[in-house]
């Protein structure tokens, strides 16, 4: 066996590096504990597919991971322009991680626009792999380069790898009956093969994927396979890449179980299907396609075998109208949308509040107002979810914290809707929806029992002894009204948006009755059973950072950094935003200072200040991107010492 020479060093950022050098010209293998890679190119270069395939192989290898897809809103932005740049960032490690990472260690830039759009995010010393074939004079002038950055010394602080990706791909595919333009389309597979070699990623899954995806186009399938293998072989043979890297599986990061990589939207779709099975109810989705929620509609349409019915309506209002009708008919009813769609659905949500029927309104938040930033993330719909209806129309609001947590959030939303007979707002966002992470597939015994009892017959006796059905006679514990399936003999009752008489459900204009019904509906929401908020405070801190939704990963990563640096800081994260956990006021009162980071201008902070009279400090960002951990750590450190 060939002898090996090994050494280990500690990098400035804490990354442990081990290196094995083999005699006889064999390339060195360097061991890292984590790495952040960003693929970037034109929106037609297949960067999302490349990143997704690299992520899938990384997940199968057993690393912990977190991803950040980032793409233009335009279906096809002008080629080679800065607005047309699409990127996919992947952070993977041999230990537990929480975010896609602040700064890439490696940038794969398929053209000048991709380089210019992303270079500011790279730390000095990062590796840059550029497709030199695209650095033509015209392409560089299009995005404002007066001289080639590959030659003017502006990249001297980085480890630059100029690779003629297009030329190498075309050369690798010359045996196939393809035009040059057709062959060039496979350059993303060449890049994927090269990066797979660099980081010792498995290849079997990608080859299997390509064979399945292009099974009906053998020439295209073989070309992509050849390009992928050529990229791998290029890394193995070229002198420009003298080192490859190993990141061991995260064997201690996960509890025992069966895992898969999952995005937030996919986890949410699976959670909805699971909820319907646990409730023993058919699942109905009434939806209108909208970024970034459309994937849920696409996924659920595949699962008719699980009793799922999907209806793509002509508009947002029709989608929620159909869903509410399905709820009236006894289905677990869902409508999915983003912020602009929630605005259109508001009247029907108010109708659902009045009818007191279970309905899940899933809002995958994006940048606004109006059309805003369709492919960018934000969490600025909280106040719309709380108050965006006429009259007093309270609804429960919950928010998942990670892509995998979208599964559990869907189950929790269904529990509340079915138990309390109410519409529920579930607030995910674009960062969670498109990002991915490992998810432990739960055992059946871990899933909640969501079965409900429909009304079967009369539930009230009149003074004359007559037994009748009162549709608004309430459960004394939950204040939920009975759920009566249309067509059940003896359960006929009025339906509609005009105020109901208590008990009978008859139309009522009586002022005292209206006051009673408004207060009763509010009391039902206030009385929802939600878990107490948990506080992570190992050091008896004086400052608490409070978050909700997708800020969980960046906040937790920032808190870890601060604690490693010797700072004392407490952390708590809200899933239930209406009603708040009952112990939240007591928790907030224990700390001298409360900081609330949000991707809005302070909506949760407004609610907390109003309800608990706490001088909560906002830290806000609304640039369409998630917080960076380092950025948050600096802000929280200032808050601690202010």
């Amino acid at each position: 066996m060939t002898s090996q020479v090994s050494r280990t060093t500690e990098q400035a950022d804490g990354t442990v590096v081990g290196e094995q050098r083999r005699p006889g010209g064999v390339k060195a293998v360097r061991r890292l504990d984590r790495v952040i890679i960003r693929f970037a190119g034109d929106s037609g270069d297949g960067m999302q597919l490349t990143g997704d395939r690299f992520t899938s192989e990384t997940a199968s290898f057993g690393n912990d991971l977190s991803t950040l897809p980032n793409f233009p809103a335009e279906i096809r932005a002008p080629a080679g322009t800065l607005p047309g740049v699409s990127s996919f960032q992947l952070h993977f490690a041999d230990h537990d991680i929480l975010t896609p990472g602040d700064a890439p260690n490696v940038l794969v830039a398929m053209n000048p626009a991709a380089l210019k759009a992303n270079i500011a995010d790279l730390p000095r010393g990062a590796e840059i792999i550029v497709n030199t074939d695209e650095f033509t004079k015209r392409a560089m002038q299009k995005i404002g380069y007066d001289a080639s950055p590959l030659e003017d010394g502006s990249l001297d602080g980085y480890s630059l790898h100029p690779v003629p990706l297009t030329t190498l791909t075309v050369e690798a595919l010359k045996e196939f009956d393809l035009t040059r333009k057709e062959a060039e389309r496979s350059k993303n597979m060449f890049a994927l093969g090269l990066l797979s070699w660099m980081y010792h990623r498995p290849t079997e899954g990608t080859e299997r994927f390509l064979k399945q995806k292009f099974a009906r186009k053998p020439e295209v399938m073989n070309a992509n396979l050849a390009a992928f293998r050529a990229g791998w072989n290029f890394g193995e043979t070229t002198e420009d890449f003298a080192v490859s890297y190993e990141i061991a599986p995260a064997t201690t990061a996960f509890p025992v179980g069966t895992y898969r990589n999952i995005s937030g939207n996919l986890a949410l779709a699976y959670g909805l299907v699971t909820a319907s099975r646990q409730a023993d109810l058919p699942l109905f989705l009434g939806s209108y396609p909208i970024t970034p929620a459309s994937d849920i509609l696409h996924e659920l349409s595949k699962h008719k075998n699980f009793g799922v019915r999907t209806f793509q309506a002509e508009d947002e209002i029709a989608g929620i109208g159909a869903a509410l009708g399905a709820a009236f008919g006894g289905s677990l009813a869902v409508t999915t949308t983003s912020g602009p769609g929630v605005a259109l659905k508001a009247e029907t949500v108010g109708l659902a509040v009045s009818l007191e029927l279970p309905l899940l309104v899933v809002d995958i938040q994006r940048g606004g107002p109006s059309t805003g930033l369709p492919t960018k993330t934000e969490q600025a719909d909280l106040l719309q979810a709380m108050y965006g209806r006429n009259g007093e129309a309270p609804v429960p609001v919950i928010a998942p914290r990670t892509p995998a947590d979208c599964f559990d959030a869907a189950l929790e939303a269904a529990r509340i809707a079915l138990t309390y007979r109410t519409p529920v707002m579930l607030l995910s966002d674009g960062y969670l929806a498109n990002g991915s992470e490992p998810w432990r597939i739960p055992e059946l015994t871990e899933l909640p029992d969501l079965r409900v009892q429909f009304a079967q017959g009369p539930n009230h006796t009149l003074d004359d002894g007559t037994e009748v059905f009162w549709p608004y006679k309430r459960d004394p514990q939950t204040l939920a009204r009975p759920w009566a399936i249309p067509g059940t003999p003896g359960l006929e009752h009025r339906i509609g948006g005009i105020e109901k008489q208590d008990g009978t459900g008859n139309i009522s204009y009586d002022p005292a009755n209206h006051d009673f019904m408004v207060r009763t509906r509010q009391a039902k929401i206030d009385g929802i059973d939600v878990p107490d908020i948990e506080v992570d405070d190992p050091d008896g801190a004086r400052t608490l950072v409070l978050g909700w939704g997708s800020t969980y990963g960046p906040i937790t990563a920032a808190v870890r950094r601060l604690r490693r640096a010797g700072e004392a800081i407490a952390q708590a994260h809200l899933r239930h935003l209406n009603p708040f956990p009952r112990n939240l006021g007591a928790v907030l009162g224990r700390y001298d200072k409360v900081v609330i980071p949000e991707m809005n201008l302070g909506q949760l902070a407004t609610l907390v200040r109003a309800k608990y009279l706490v001088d909560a400090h906002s830290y806000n960002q609304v640039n369409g991107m998630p917080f960076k951990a380092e950025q948050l750590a600096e802000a929280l450190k200032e808050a601690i010492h202010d």
Side-chain angles (χ1 to χ4, degrees), residues 1-6 19-29:
M1 181 178 292
T2 304
S3 62
Q4 299 177 356
V5 180
S6 301
E19 187 167 290
Q20 298 176 339
R21 294 193 178 275
R22 300 179 176 89
V26 180
K27 294 185 177 182
V29 178

Side-chain angles (χ1 to χ4, degrees), residues 2 12 40 71 107 136 235 244 316 319 324 421 453 456 496 503 515:
T2 304
F71 38 85
L107 171 66
T136 63
S244 63
E316 296 282 3
L324 185 57
R421 309 286 198 269
Q453 182 66 47
Q456 299 297 319
D515 182 274

Side-chain angles (χ1 to χ4, degrees), residues 292-322:
S294 299
D295 285 343
I296 303 173
L297 170 61
H298 300 159
E299 182 61 33
L300 289 179
S301 68
K302 303 174 184 177
H303 298 293
K304 297 180 178 66
N305 56 317
F306 287 112
V308 179
R309 295 180 181 177
T310 53
F311 170 58
Q312 181 174 322
E314 65 268 27
D315 55 38
E316 296 282 3
I317 299 171
I320 190 173

Side-chain angles (χ1 to χ4, degrees), residues 114-184:
L115 177 65
K116 188 169 187 178
N118 292 282
I119 189 66
D121 292 337
L122 269 65
R124 290 291 176 174
E127 292 193 81
I128 303 176
I129 301 170
V130 294
N131 179 13
T132 56
D133 289 325
E134 295 295 323
F135 279 72
T136 63
K137 184 177 181 179
R138 181 182 178 186
M140 290 186 289
Q141 288 177 343
K142 185 182 291 187
I143 47 95
Y145 276 137
D146 296 326
S148 173
L150 309 183
E151 300 171 356
D152 65 3
S154 60
L155 300 179
D156 287 350
Y158 305 95
S159 178
L160 181 64
H161 301 278
V163 180
L165 283 170
T166 305
T167 299
L168 290 170
T169 303
V170 172
E171 179 66 20
L173 303 184
K174 63 182 180 181
E175 65 182 86
F176 297 95
D177 185 22
L178 298 171
T179 66
R180 179 179 177 85
K181 186 175 183 179
E182 290 171 336
E184 288 179 2

Side-chain angles (χ1 to χ4, degrees), residues 378-400:
E378 205 164 273
Q379 49 177 183
D381 293 350
L382 176 57
L383 293 183
Q384 180 178 217
M386 289 285 293
Y387 304 120
R389 294 160 296 282
N390 66 296
E392 296 287 345
V395 299
V397 181
I398 70 171

